[in-house]
Amino acid sequence: MNRRKAFTLIELLVVIAIIAILAAILFPVFAQAKTAAKKSVHVSNYKQIGTSVQIYLADYDDVFPQAFVRRPIERTWFYGGAHPVPANAISTAPWNTPERIGMAENFWANSLQPYMKNRDIFEMPAAQNTANNIAGETFNPATKAAKMGLTMNGYLHTYSGTAIDNVSVVPMFWNVQSVNFIGRGLSTPTLVCAGVDTDCRFNAGGNPNGESGSSNGGYYVYSTTSFPVPQYGKMGVFLRADTSTKVMPNGTAVDPNGTGWGGKLKDPWNNIQANGLPGSLWPCDSTFNGQGAGSAWCYFRPDRTE
């Protein structure tokens, strides 16, 4: 009778070493494949959103949706706030009244919904999620709070699509940071319009229409110090006004000295911090491309030509 020879200790160690080497080689490959898959989903979602915006524009005389909404009682713009998505997502005051729900329905993520019929495409696949709700607020159990990973370029708030100088470069939507806000949607950069019953629209010559001035020159950038900027390496996904979706630099210092205008049009951030949190931005001034004064974020201006 033949007896099978058992593995020796050396043979077992060799097998374990080979498995360890293969794992070291394959695990990064698997991780890269997983990241690439998430990026593909991200790009696909953006393309669907771009198509929905084009249908919306056709129905609304080529005017973009509201990046932020007007308060129903005060008649002032809620320009710096996080809006419920869907409109009835929050069941606690002040968002649980018919007036406030009607207000939130005008926010871009809600007004575009009839053309999308899917809130899951708002989610950023590679991002972490915020806490379930803001302190003191309760979500409506009858509806699903959306995961909002993207944000609208607020300079396009009620702006005419035909007034954009170069639709192939002006972003409509992007991801400020690698995070999904639960049940809340934002627009950034955004306009600062603090007047009562005033129009609010991007003005190439300075402050937004209807504003005599503000501490931010009429423009405001939302970011949080809690979440990193980088999404796919040092790249981010941007949906342009012509509905093209591109993976572009996001948080890379194009010009380390901060003096070249070229960087202001190639990357929304001048740089990011070493820990990945937001750093400085590329602001504009009166010398920008021969255009008007104002502190609007160069990368997102609808009057940029390149």
Side-chain angles (χ1 to χ4, degrees), residues 248-298:
M248 305 287 289
N250 192 6
T252 305
V254 178
D255 179 4
N257 296 320
T259 58
W261 287 107
K264 298 174 186 290
L265 299 178
K266 295 179 181 178
D267 190 334
W269 302 94
N270 176 19
N271 60 68
I272 60 173
Q273 300 178 47
N275 58 6
L277 297 180
S280 59
L281 312 175
W282 282 117
C284 285
D285 60 23
S286 59
T287 64
F288 170 64
N289 206 22
Q291 296 168 7
S295 57
W297 204 347
C298 288

Side-chain angles (χ1 to χ4, degrees), residues 117-132:
K117 302 185 185 302
N118 180 4
R119 293 188 181 90
D120 292 338
I121 61 177
F122 293 146
E123 181 180 1
M124 181 180 174
Q128 57 183 307
N129 299 322
T130 58
N132 288 335

